[in-house]
Amino acid sequence: MAVVRVRQHVNPLSGKYQAPVEVPAWETVFANAQQPLHIDIGCGKGVFLLQMAQLQPEWNFLGLEIRKPVVESAQKRQQETGLTNLHFMYCNVNISLRGLLESWGDQNPLQQVSIQFPDPWFKKRHQKRRVLQPDLVSTIAEFLPSGGRLVVQSDVEEVAVDMCDRIAENPHFLRQGEDWLPQSPFPAQTDRERVTLEQGLPVHRAIFTRA
């Protein structure tokens, strides 16, 4: 059986990632499509959301990821668990998020968005590839209700600072506290978070509330 090598980083500006994803019928995706919705952007293998969906059955969880083989692996895990409050989609979030959120119409259940340990793209000329661009912040602000949360985490302080700066530029978001959060606001961890903490290294976390 051939082993499929999954690229750690893909260029979201590449032409093959510019097509918007087809919007599903949400009532067929979730058992109760009107439960509060948490979107995890760059969900990777979906380990975090699989835990969250089990721990918080009163929420729906949607994982968005640009690496197709990783999404297929997450979808398989979801099917094996039979969780009906969890869904994974392959898409470029900077192209597809607005359409996905608009498709809910006036009944949009979005309450929380997380961006955790995104690709750092260290080189200056590559930073336009970082997931959290101003237009994405604006889209999240438009669809999050008052009191909704945007949570960011990274083990790279430069990336965490950059995300916080971009969110703070949007007048609709207020940061909770000035310092990094000492603990995660979630009862589950991503793979990267677990490994980072096991190595005794810091995780830089912040919560922004939709004003």
Side-chain angles (χ1 to χ4, degrees):
M1 183 175 174
V3 176
V4 178
R5 182 175 175 272
V6 178
R7 290 175 64 104
Q8 275 296 103
H9 309 285
V10 299
N11 178 5
L13 304 180
S14 168
K16 67 179 182 179
Y17 298 116
Q18 302 313 300
V21 70
E22 187 176 334
V23 176
W26 297 114
E27 65 274 10
T28 66
V29 166
F30 297 116
N32 178 1
Q34 289 309 313
Q35 289 190 156
L37 177 66
H38 176 161
I39 294 180
D40 189 43
I41 292 174
C43 64
K45 299 174 185 174
V47 171
F48 167 76
L49 286 188
L50 281 160
Q51 295 177 65
M52 290 292 288
Q54 291 169 314
L55 291 168
Q56 298 183 345
E58 71 281 7
W59 279 74
N60 285 335
F61 296 91
L62 177 62
L64 305 178
E65 170 62 48
I66 198 170
R67 294 169 297 166
K68 194 170 188 177
V70 176
V71 175
E72 290 170 346
S73 175
Q75 289 170 334
K76 185 179 178 185
R77 286 193 183 95
Q78 181 269 326
Q79 290 161 5
E80 288 169 352
T81 60
L83 291 163
T84 59
N85 63 330
L86 174 63
H87 188 62
F88 294 104
M89 295 183 72
Y90 158 67
C91 71
N92 181 343
V93 71
N94 277 289
I95 301 297
S96 295
L97 184 63
R98 173 171 290 279
L100 290 173
L101 292 174
E102 284 177 343
S103 70
W104 294 91
D106 294 336
Q107 303 300 312
N108 194 316
L110 184 66
Q111 293 289 332
Q112 191 156 254
V113 176
S114 54
I115 303 175
Q116 305 183 78
F117 307 90
D119 287 345
W121 296 112
F122 289 114
K123 292 179 181 177
K124 192 74 175 172
R125 62 191 167 91
H126 287 162
Q127 289 182 7
K128 59 182 180 292
R129 300 179 182 179
R130 287 180 175 175
V131 66
L132 195 60
Q133 300 296 329
D135 283 353
L136 185 62
V137 177
S138 296
T139 298
I140 295 169
E142 184 178 335
F143 290 93
L144 261 185
S146 177
R149 300 199 308 177
L150 173 55
V151 182
V152 294
Q153 301 196 72
S154 179
D155 53 336
V156 181
E157 187 168 16
E158 173 200 333
V159 173
V161 168
D162 183 54
M163 287 196 289
C164 289
D165 287 348
R166 288 184 183 268
I167 300 167
E169 288 168 2
N170 188 296
H172 298 296
F173 283 110
L174 294 174
R175 184 170 176 172
Q176 294 186 8
E178 298 176 10
D179 301 322
W180 300 121
L181 297 174
Q183 293 181 312
S184 171
F186 303 126
Q189 295 178 334
T190 72
D191 277 348
R192 186 64 176 262
E193 182 177 9
R194 178 181 54 78
V195 170
T196 301
L197 295 175
E198 284 175 355
Q199 292 174 342
L201 299 172
V203 173
H204 309 286
R205 311 178 178 94
I207 296 176
F208 289 81
T209 304
R210 177 64 165 84

